[in-house]
Structures are given as C-alpha cells and as structure tokens.
Amino acid sequence: MEPASQFPFYTRLRDDIRARPRMRSLFLVAPVLIPLVLFTVTDLRGVDFGLHWDEVGWQVRPVRDMVASGSLMPPAAIYPAVAKWLVLLPTVPIAIRAIAAAGRTPRTVQTAMVAAMDAPDYLLTVRRVFIVVSALAILWVYLAALALRRSWWEAFVASACLGFSWEYAYHARWVATDCIAVQFSALALLMLALFHRDRAAKPRWLYAAAVAAGLATGSKYPCIFVLVPVMLSSVLTLPWRPVRAQLIRLGAVVGIAVVVYLVTTPATLFDPFNFIEKSQWISAAYKKGHVATHAARSAWHHWELVLIYLALAYFSPYAGLSLALFAGVVGGAIVWLRDDRRVGAVLLSLPVVFLLIFCFRILGVVVRNYLFLVPFLSLLAARGIAEAAGRLPFRWARWSFAAALAFAFLLEAVWLVRAGESIRHFDPLSQVRSAVAYVGDHGKTQFRLSHQVRELAAQQHLKLPPNVTEGPDAAMVVFFARAEGPSQYDWKTNDFWLTKAVFGTREVNISWYGGWIGRDRVVVMTMEKAKEAKIELAQSAVSGHRPPLPKAR
C-alpha cells in the first residue's frame, strides 16, 4: 500500500508541493542542509586545533607584509593567490569603517588593517572564513547531481560523500589552498552539469565552468587539470567538423580560464622571474619526494598510496565503509559510461588524467593534493550506490539498503561531532586513561608503555594491566607521538596501517601526517612498525634497557 493512501496528510503535502514551484524547490534543496550544517558547525567547533606548518609562514604573514608595504598585490610564491585574498578578507570591514570615519587618511586605514592582522585571534578568524568557503563544495556537488537529473536522495549521497568525510573536514580547518581548490573544483562540476543538462542552450555554463577552473588554478596550481573536463565538454558537444568552430570555442574556454587565473595571481605577470623560480623550486621538491617521509619509492608505489588513501581512508574513518563507498565510485563510473558516455567521460577525465600524469612524474605524496578530485568521485559514488539500490528486486531489500546507508552516514556524522569536541577538550590525562583501558582490553597481547604514559598513569593512580611488560617480549608499544617519537622529519607517514590505535584530539589523521607538529597524542603501534619508524621505546626494548618506573603520586 502506498504511503499516500495510508496518510492523508502526506497526500495533501505532496499535492501542495507539486502545486507550488517555490515550495518544491525549497523541499528539493532541504536535504543538503544536513551535511552542510553539520560540516560547518563541527568544523567551527574545532577551529582552535593548535599549530599547522604552512598557515602563518606561507599564507598569513605574506598577506600582512603585503598590506604593511602598501601594496595589495600578493608576491610570487609556491602557492597561488586566491587563498591570500581570503586571508585578507576579514580586514575589509575594518578598512571600510576606517574609510568612513572622519579625518582618516589612507595611512590610517592601512594601519588599522595591519593592527587587525596582528591581533592574536586573527588566525582563528581566517580559519573560519576558510571553513565556510570550503563548505560550499557540499552544496555545489548536491546541485550538480540535481542538474544532471538525478534524484534528490542520490544528490544527498553525493553531498554526504563530501560533507561527512573526516578527511575533508579536518583539511578544511587549515588556512591552506587545498579545500578552497576543492570548492572551485565542485563549482566547475556544477557549471558543467548545467551545461550538459541542456546542450542546445548557449554555452554560457561552459564558459562559467572555465571561470571556475581559472579560480581553482588560482587556488592551487595542480588544479589547472580542472580545465581537462571543461575542454572535453567543449569538444564532445560540438560536431567534429568544421574544426574551426571547435578551435574557436576551445580557445575561448582556455582563454577565459587563463585570464581569471592571472587576475587572481597577478604576480605571474608582474614578478615573472620570482614566479618562475618559486615554481621550479616546488616542482623539483615534489619530483624528488617533497620531504623524505612523504616520498614514494616509485611511480607504482605512488599509485598504490593514492589508491589506498582514496579507497580505505577518504570516504570514512572506518576502512570497511570507505571501501564500500569507493566501490560505488567504480560502479558509478561504469554506469555513467553505459548510460551517457559524454557525461561519464567528463566525470572520469579529471581523476584519470591527473593521476596518470601526477603519479608517473612526482614522488612527493601529500594526500591533501588529491582532494580537488573528490567532487567528481562523490558524484560517481552516488551514481554507483543508486544503481545498486535500484537493482534490488524487493521493496524490503531497498528499504534495508537505505537504512544501512543512513546508518553509515550517521556513524560518520557522530565521528565529526566527536572530532570537533575532542579538539575543544584537549586532555593528556584522559588520553592515558583511554590507552591503559585499551591495553587492558587486549589482555592476550604484551604492551610496553613509555615513561611519560606510565608517569601520567601513576598521577591518576591507575593500576596497570598485567599484560604490561618492560622486557623485549612486548608486541605493542604505547607512547606520546611528539614527545617520545622521532622528529617531524623522521616520522614515518603515508602508512594506513601505521598505528593500531590513537588517543587524543582528532584534528588530523596521523597515518598520513605522522610528523604533525600540533597537539600531542598517545599512539599504539606494533613493535615491528615502531622499530621501522625508529621509535626509541622500541629500540630500547631490543637493547634490553628498562626505564625506571615512576611511583604513584
């Protein structure tokens, strides 16, 4: 029996929505508010996460120096300038108020802007700006799915693949270029979806996609590859002959993107020698491996690391769930190519072309460099999941599938909430309590605890489980990653299986950023992994050294 026959209210509401286009549009867009609001709120709750390598030195300080010098042109750097304009954005209201004040001169306006950037909380303000801008990608992906005439729930799944991803969430807190690039990549995807929705219309949406590609490149240089699906869309939607028409429109698309990029990053033209020098330096650094801990051994090892990250980590902190969603990407690619080869080719072109070129030329593997691909992957995943649900023969099976999917996203939502709150409540004593409880729950495994873990356990009068040992027979080690691990330049990273458990704030995935310089955390590693990473606790276990046991206080 249909719901309409059981619930008269449902019938009236449905008819009312159909009769009112504005209400229908409102209800159509409403589902995306769930991941959009959750992502934004939880990220803002965890905005004060501590230190990050690149924020001040590469983003905030250059903008502050730019304003102090009286020039509003970002200098040439290894990063393009869109992120720097966002760093400057919070000073705009201050500048407007200073201009409006009686008796103010240009120098006093400049002084007010510099003073605002020198304020202790300015970095947190900029982080909030980056979070809000990054959150827009969730909306763009949702609208792109609708524009391609997919159902609202498939569009929701696409947006949830972005909005419920812990990997995207913690990267979005950083004053860095990556998630800003994701937002423009998603915007380009939306423009292309609108273009392919009505190919007979004038190519205004195609040119809008070129604008978004130019902004993406102005956010992060590798995002020049966002032009690939834009150019492919231009080629595939025109007759092959005459070739002149193809070349004219292709030239217009590329020209628009280049002009937009140059407007956002003018130092490319006005400081060309410094720009070329910086570009060559960062390119050479990534070709060699960036830093030793982020270096792949070969092109094939690079491919392996990227696929492990995308398949087992990006979509969910739970490896099995992430793998299931990634399987949706593969299935979605097949379905799109079967049902609409043009759209399928466009969606696949960015990840395939970029990874083919990047993985075979570059040895530096920093997982945030691949995030701008995920709007396209999210749309593919949603299509694969929708196809799998549609193939189920019984209604109860489809409802069960939907319930399982909702539960999976609920797990990810809970993780985001807990991640944000863990950042607000940093407590090393709590970390040690959780670590000792973990050791006790694995009574058949021998653990070796570091001096600092033992000391903080003693402070709390915690009784150590009987499977804690001081000798070389331990199978696991428990220690504070920063205080008792190697330096940030020696930490092993890009290893999905680096740790068995992590206790502390969830502002980063230490498996991919082992050298994190932010807040410390307690980690549990196998003895084998710890020896490979040259953890002192594991080395002393081999040598037979036994640190003194602290007394309870």
Side-chain angles (χ1 to χ4, degrees):
M1 186 177 294
E2 292 296 325
S5 61
Q6 298 181 51
F7 305 105
F9 172 77
Y10 173 88
T11 306
R12 291 195 300 271
L13 180 62
R14 182 194 62 189
D15 294 341
D16 198 24
I17 292 173
R18 289 176 176 175
R20 299 182 182 182
R22 289 185 179 178
M23 183 177 287
R24 182 177 183 275
S25 299
L26 179 63
F27 274 86
L28 199 60
V29 176
V32 75
L33 295 178
I34 298 174
L36 184 63
V37 172
L38 180 76
F39 174 91
T40 306
V41 172
T42 56
D43 254 32
L44 291 175
R45 293 280 293 176
V47 70
D48 190 6
F49 59 79
L51 297 175
H52 180 275
W53 309 281
D54 297 342
E55 290 180 322
V56 175
W58 289 109
Q59 301 297 342
V60 179
R61 188 181 298 127
V63 176
R64 191 265 182 203
D65 294 343
M66 175 185 76
V67 176
S69 70
S71 169
L72 288 184
M73 187 185 80
I78 63 173
Y79 298 111
V82 166
K84 293 180 173 61
W85 296 120
L86 289 177
V87 170
L88 184 65
L89 185 61
T91 68
V92 172
I94 296 168
I96 293 174
R97 287 196 297 269
I99 292 171
R104 291 300 182 101
T105 66
R107 288 300 178 187
T108 57
V109 174
Q110 178 187 10
T111 301
M113 294 173 69
V114 172
M117 301 189 74
D118 287 339
D121 62 344
Y122 190 77
L123 177 59
L124 296 185
T125 300
V126 175
R127 284 178 181 172
R128 294 184 183 99
V129 172
F130 275 60
I131 288 169
V132 172
V133 173
S134 300
L136 292 175
I138 302 167
L139 177 61
W140 304 151
V141 168
Y142 181 86
L143 295 176
L146 293 181
L148 290 172
R149 294 185 171 86
R150 308 314 310 166
S151 66
W152 69 266
W153 78 266
E154 184 176 331
F156 173 81
V157 171
S159 66
C161 287
L162 202 63
F164 290 150
S165 168
W166 178 50
E167 291 292 323
Y168 186 56
Y170 75 73
H171 282 99
R173 292 190 181 99
W174 301 353
V175 179
T177 60
D178 307 278
C179 292
I180 304 304
V182 174
Q183 186 268 153
F184 286 119
S185 174
L187 183 60
L189 175 62
L190 172 58
M191 298 300 105
L192 290 175
L194 291 168
F195 174 65
H196 284 278
R197 180 185 178 91
D198 187 6
R199 298 173 187 146
K202 293 180 180 180
R204 59 184 181 274
W205 296 118
L206 182 67
Y207 298 141
V211 171
L215 291 169
T217 308
S219 303
K220 192 174 180 69
Y221 291 126
C223 287
I224 191 173
F225 284 92
V226 176
L227 258 180
V228 171
V230 181
M231 295 169 64
L232 186 61
S233 294
S234 177
V235 170
L236 293 180
T237 53
L238 277 181
W240 290 103
R241 295 178 181 276
V243 176
R244 183 171 177 271
Q246 283 274 12
L247 294 178
I248 289 175
R249 195 164 82 172
L250 205 57
V253 165
V254 174
I256 289 171
V258 170
V259 169
V260 170
Y261 160 75
L262 291 175
V263 169
T264 64
T265 311
T268 307
L269 290 178
F270 295 105
D271 193 7
F273 302 110
N274 197 22
F275 168 77
I276 293 172
E277 181 183 21
K278 292 285 196 300
S279 301
Q280 289 178 338
W281 179 84
I282 192 62
S283 177
Y286 267 98
K287 284 182 179 179
K288 295 177 182 178
H290 188 49
V291 293
T293 55
H294 284 275
R297 295 187 297 271
S298 65
W300 296 111
H301 184 224
H302 191 161
W303 269 101
E304 177 187 347
L305 292 175
V306 173
L307 290 176
I308 288 174
Y309 176 72
L310 294 176
L312 298 179
Y314 168 74
F315 286 100
S316 174
Y318 305 101
L321 177 53
S322 183
L323 184 60
L325 293 173
F326 185 76
V329 174
V330 178
I334 296 171
V335 173
W336 270 116
L337 290 174
R338 181 199 66 190
D339 295 343
D340 191 329
R341 291 184 180 179
R342 289 181 179 179
V343 173
V346 168
L347 294 178
L348 280 170
S349 61
L350 175 60
V352 169
V353 172
F354 173 74
L355 292 178
L356 279 173
I357 295 176
F358 200 73
C359 290
F360 283 119
R361 293 188 70 251
I362 302 296
L363 291 181
V365 182
V366 183
V367 294
R368 66 187 193 179
N369 288 328
Y370 313 101
L371 291 177
F372 76 97
L373 306 176
V374 297
F376 289 75
L377 299 181
S378 297
L379 212 59
L380 292 172
R383 189 71 195 93
I385 291 169
E387 180 73 10
R391 286 179 173 272
L392 296 174
F394 305 108
R395 179 177 296 179
W396 65 264
R398 292 192 294 271
W399 278 106
S400 299
F401 184 90
L405 188 62
F407 180 72
F409 286 137
L410 178 61
L411 287 177
E412 295 194 55
V414 170
W415 182 282
L416 290 186
V417 172
R418 289 180 174 175
E421 295 308 305
S422 74
I423 296 170
R424 294 177 68 87
H425 305 289
F426 174 63
D427 183 4
L429 295 177
S430 176
Q431 296 178 28
V432 170
R433 289 196 300 273
S434 299
V436 171
Y438 177 89
V439 172
D441 290 340
H442 295 76
K444 295 183 179 180
T445 304
Q446 296 292 305
F447 288 82
R448 196 164 199 255
L449 273 56
S450 72
H451 177 83
Q452 186 170 332
V453 171
R454 286 173 173 267
E455 185 176 58
L456 293 183
Q459 286 182 19
Q460 303 174 79
H461 306 286
L462 298 178
K463 182 179 180 181
L464 298 183
N467 56 323
V468 171
T469 180
E470 301 175 53
D473 56 334
M476 301 274 187
V477 292
V478 184
F479 61 100
F480 277 90
R482 282 194 63 198
E484 301 174 303
S487 74
Q488 61 169 308
Y489 300 105
D490 296 324
W491 250 106
K492 180 177 173 55
T493 191
N494 286 340
D495 183 355
F496 178 75
W497 296 275
L498 179 65
T499 63
K500 296 295 288 185
V502 178
F503 304 99
T505 55
R506 296 176 179 176
E507 84 277 21
V508 71
N509 188 340
I510 197 173
S511 294
W512 306 104
Y513 296 98
W516 183 248
I517 62 172
R519 293 170 175 170
D520 211 344
R521 70 206 67 234
V522 176
V523 298
V524 181
M525 295 178 65
T526 65
M527 185 62 74
E528 180 182 0
K529 287 285 185 183
K531 290 176 183 177
E532 184 181 352
K534 298 181 180 179
I535 305 300
E536 183 178 353
L537 184 64
Q539 301 298 322
S540 63
V542 174
S543 64
H545 171 69
R546 299 186 179 186
L549 298 178
K551 297 181 180 179
R553 300 179 183 178

